[in-house]
Amino acid sequence: MLSVQLKRPARENDYRVAESYKALRTNVQFCGVDNKVIMLTSSMPGEGKSSTSFNLAASLGEIGKKVLLIDADMRRSNMIKQYRVETRVKGLSEFLSGQNGIDEVLYATNIMNVHIIFAGAVPPNPAELLNNRIFTRTIEKLRELYDYIVIDTPPIGSVTDAAVISQVCDGIIFVCASGSIRRKMAQDIVRQLSATKCKILGTVLTRVERSGKGYYGKYYGKYGDYYGAYGKGGSQTH
């Protein structure tokens, strides 16, 4: 298997951020063992969806789960730039278009128990590539090899890719930045997600300003320790 080095931003190494991701990981585990393939989407770019996808995968890997992270945001991926990947890589678009085999786009990483498939070059027809039997059959085969498959998808409010990807997933996590969208838009997005017939596992609220002098302290910068995971019952866990 090919390998690649990922360099995590300093903010993601903060122990308070790590604790928030552990809470998210715990909530995902309580959703049940049948939820192996989980996609993350948002309403618009810049809400922390890719960071949440990556760190959820890393957190699951820390407890010994074998995890595959798939960057399926082939239109506007920032995974390579965000994690400073210096190796030239092939990705999902090259695989789905038949240019490369799965063994040529699947990478081992320096993150414990985490493998990754990058988005690849920007194709002219992302939705069409995703909506084919190759993608469906590949996910079914990968289910047998991994405990969890975490898929980072484009914002569902912008394009149809996320809705297409949901057809091969067991559950959806909706990532929403605090104060970024109006309640009605969030409700519309939830209705769109519900229409996919894929189970909505919950919402991750990002960029939450925490006040006070307790364990979490104050607001922690641009991304901060912003993760609140909302389970099925609607209760918030920090």
Side-chain angles (χ1 to χ4, degrees), residues 43-44 174 176 180-192:
S43 61
M44 62 184 70
F174 176 44
C176 179
S180 67
I181 61 174
R182 295 183 180 276
R183 180 189 297 266
K184 185 178 185 304
M185 182 178 179
Q187 292 172 334
D188 289 342
I189 294 294
V190 171
R191 279 193 286 269
Q192 289 183 51

Side-chain angles (χ1 to χ4, degrees), residues 8-233:
R8 301 172 72 165
R11 65 177 180 270
E12 292 184 4
N13 293 320
D14 189 295
Y15 79 93
R16 294 162 297 192
V17 173
E19 287 301 312
S20 296
Y21 281 120
K22 287 178 182 178
L24 175 59
R25 177 187 70 199
T26 299
N27 284 355
V28 167
Q29 289 182 287
F30 273 113
C31 287
V33 295
D34 292 335
N35 296 301
K36 293 188 63 173
V37 182
I38 300 170
M39 60 170 274
L40 285 83
T41 190
S42 60
S43 61
M44 62 184 70
E47 295 192 88
K49 168 181 60 63
S50 295
S51 295
T52 305
S53 299
F54 179 90
N55 285 285
L56 173 59
S59 186
L60 288 166
E62 288 174 358
I63 59 172
K65 302 299 182 181
K66 189 174 182 182
V67 185
L68 173 61
L69 173 62
I70 300 178
D71 181 2
D73 192 349
M74 292 185 286
R75 298 175 189 266
R76 193 179 175 181
S77 172
N78 67 352
M79 195 78 73
I80 287 178
K81 180 179 179 181
Q82 185 168 344
Y83 295 99
R84 295 180 288 169
V85 177
E86 298 176 354
T87 307
R88 294 187 64 180
V89 298
K90 300 293 185 180
L92 187 62
S93 62
E94 285 88 358
F95 169 66
L96 294 179
S97 61
Q99 299 178 57
N100 293 94
I102 189 67
D103 58 327
E104 297 175 295
V105 301
L106 184 60
Y107 292 83
T109 75
N110 54 309
I111 308 301
M112 185 183 302
N113 297 316
V114 176
H115 294 165
I116 188 169
I117 295 177
F118 293 99
V122 179
N125 56 340
E128 287 78 4
L129 288 179
L130 291 165
N131 194 22
N132 65 40
R133 294 181 181 179
I134 295 176
F135 184 63
T136 302
R137 288 199 301 262
T138 300
I139 295 297
E140 289 305 313
K141 291 180 180 178
L142 292 171
R143 282 177 178 272
E144 302 173 4
L145 303 176
Y146 292 93
D147 296 311
Y148 286 97
I149 299 175
V150 177
I151 306 180
D152 178 23
T153 75
I156 196 166
S158 304
V159 293
T160 62
D161 301 18
V164 173
I165 294 169
S166 71
Q167 304 307 306
V168 301
C169 296
D170 303 318
I172 301 171
I173 294 176
F174 176 44
V175 179
C176 179
S178 176
S180 67
I181 61 174
R182 295 183 180 276
R183 180 189 297 266
K184 185 178 185 304
M185 182 178 179
Q187 292 172 334
D188 289 342
I189 294 294
V190 171
R191 279 193 286 269
Q192 289 183 51
L193 294 174
S194 298
T196 67
K197 306 302 181 182
C198 185
K199 187 189 309 179
I200 301 175
L201 301 181
T203 299
V204 173
L205 185 63
T206 66
R207 298 185 184 176
V208 174
E209 182 175 356
R210 302 186 187 278
S211 60
K213 299 180 181 180
Y215 176 77
Y216 287 99
K218 297 182 180 180
Y219 180 68
Y220 298 114
K222 180 179 178 182
Y223 291 93
D225 298 327
Y226 43 64
Y227 297 94
Y230 292 78
K232 298 177 182 177

